[in-house]
Amino acid sequence: PGEKAIEVSIEGIYDPDEVETELVDLALSTTDISSTLILTYAGYTLTGTYMISNYSEGMPYNESTTFSATFSSSGVVAKAAVT
């Protein structure tokens, strides 16, 4: 029936002085642009290999910065109940 894929969009706020720049590094990578992630929701997780297909940051405010990112799956994604 064809290949299935999942796309997950997230938004958040972080303090750039206290948080590693892993999302920015993944978004700018020219070699390994995929990473295994475990996305946790209320009641279940999605585990799979994702790449960042979109990343943006807002303007700094009160020592914090807003961000948004979109993760697109590559390959099998497994859903499991949170225990």
Side-chain angles (χ1 to χ4, degrees):
E3 188 173 311
K4 294 183 180 182
I6 293 176
E7 190 170 275
V8 178
S9 296
I10 63 170
E11 294 181 348
I13 188 167
Y14 73 97
D15 181 343
D17 293 332
E18 296 183 16
V19 176
E20 295 292 325
T21 59
E22 291 179 35
L23 287 177
V24 174
D25 294 343
L26 279 173
L28 296 175
S29 175
T30 58
T31 54
D32 184 12
I33 61 171
S34 62
S35 185
T36 300
L37 298 176
I38 300 172
L39 304 171
T40 304
Y41 299 91
Y44 66 94
T45 63
L46 295 175
T47 303
T49 302
Y50 295 85
M51 63 173 267
I52 295 180
S53 55
N54 186 24
Y55 180 82
S56 64
E57 289 186 357
M59 297 298 295
Y61 178 75
N62 286 343
E63 300 180 15
S64 295
T65 301
T66 59
F67 74 92
S68 62
T70 303
F71 295 88
S72 300
S73 68
S74 173
V76 176
V77 176
K79 181 179 177 184
V82 174
T83 55

